[in-house]
Amino acid sequence: MRRSSTDESTYHRSPSLDSKDYSFPNGAFRRYSSMYGGQFGAASNSFFGFHTNPGPKATKAKYTSPKGNKYVVFYLDLSFIFLLELKRCSMAHNCLQCIKYLMFVFNLLFWLGGCGILGVGIWLAVTQGNFATLSSSFPSLSAANLLIVTGTFVMIIGFVGCIGAIKENKGLLLSFFIMLLIIFLLELTIVILFFVYTDKIDKYAQQDLKKGLHLYGTDGNIGLTNAWSIIQTDFRCCGVSNYTDWFEVYNTTRVPDSCCLEFSENCGLHSPGTWWKAPCYETVKIWLQENLLAVGIFALCTALVQILGLTFAMTMYCQVVKADTYCA
């Protein structure tokens, strides 16, 4: 049954959310919010049980805080990385200082050793002439000259190492490493060649020493004369391979007075029964073999000192490069 228009007028439609006229008079919202405990205040997003979505401006304001937090986290990450790098640079600096002073002390001792060797060589050259010159083929190969050359090289290398360590100079450190490496490789090559060609070296050395006997007692060869006199007296031997080697020098049955069992003036003119019979070359060779352990220890210590110097130089060079790269 259809209702009349008069019946519809008795019913009033409740206001909906879609209707346009849902405004309240002034103070109405404040009155209702006070009645319900302030739940409809400015901070609330609900209105009479209906939850409203924030508009575009509210959404934009809502995400400004996380963006700021991202900047804070990024700043903290950078600070943490900076602290780690600072700690790493500090550790590298401390390590560099430790290696620096160790290498300085090592090279200072190296330099002082070179000064001592050079001083002994100069003293021998001044007081004894060409002391211990046994070879006629290499007259400059005397003990004094060898000590002078060795001491000079050791002093130069030690000086370069000291300055390079205290100044932390990469060029000097690398120069020290290269010079020491060249010397070490030369020594290693000489040792290898000596063991490979031992028989040929023995034969050549005996022939050269026999030639040197003809210079014994002549003018300008005081070093060779003193060397043979000391060797024959201390090792109780005579000649290179036999006491008869001197017969070719004097063209008669005679030996130097240093070959006598009991030294006296012109004792070398007496009968062979009063002379040493052992050959000097074999005697010295046997002495070296008996003291091979001491010779080996000396050679090993020399090699270890050089390897230690190489290790210090390269380690400090790498530390200086790292310090310049990461802590510049």
Side-chain angles (χ1 to χ4, degrees), residues 35-83:
M35 289 174 61
Y36 290 96
Q39 62 179 341
F40 305 110
S44 176
N45 292 330
S46 62
F47 184 76
F48 285 101
F50 294 100
H51 296 276
T52 59
N53 294 325
K57 292 185 178 180
T59 305
K60 185 177 181 181
K62 181 178 180 180
Y63 287 97
T64 54
S65 179
K67 190 174 182 181
N69 290 336
K70 289 181 181 178
Y71 285 125
V72 172
V73 171
F74 181 69
Y75 174 75
L76 291 176
D77 289 341
L78 286 179
S79 300
F80 183 68
I81 293 172
F82 175 75
L83 290 175

Side-chain angles (χ1 to χ4, degrees), residues 18-155:
D18 297 329
S19 61
K20 295 183 179 180
D21 189 12
Y22 51 84
S23 60
F24 296 95
N26 292 334
F29 181 76
R30 194 174 301 164
R31 178 159 44 88
Y32 284 119
S33 64
S34 62
M35 289 174 61
Y36 290 96
Q39 62 179 341
F40 305 110
S44 176
N45 292 330
S46 62
F47 184 76
F48 285 101
F50 294 100
H51 296 276
T52 59
N53 294 325
K57 292 185 178 180
T59 305
K60 185 177 181 181
K62 181 178 180 180
Y63 287 97
T64 54
S65 179
K67 190 174 182 181
N69 290 336
K70 289 181 181 178
Y71 285 125
V72 172
V73 171
F74 181 69
Y75 174 75
L76 291 176
D77 289 341
L78 286 179
S79 300
F80 183 68
I81 293 172
F82 175 75
L83 290 175
L84 287 178
E85 289 296 326
L86 186 63
K87 184 178 180 182
R88 195 162 105 186
C89 290
S90 178
M91 292 177 64
H93 180 72
N94 293 335
C95 183
L96 178 62
Q97 292 298 315
C98 181
I99 297 174
K100 170 183 174 179
Y101 291 114
L102 283 175
M103 185 174 176
F104 177 77
V105 172
F106 170 81
N107 284 285
L108 181 62
L109 295 176
F110 205 64
W111 182 79
L112 291 174
C115 291
I117 295 173
L118 180 62
V120 173
I122 293 173
W123 176 77
L124 287 176
V126 172
T127 59
Q128 302 295 325
N130 293 326
F131 179 76
T133 303
L134 298 176
S135 175
S136 60
S137 301
F138 304 98
S140 299
L141 193 64
S142 63
N145 292 339
L146 286 176
L147 290 175
I148 290 173
V149 172
T150 303
T152 303
F153 272 107
V154 171
M155 281 183 62

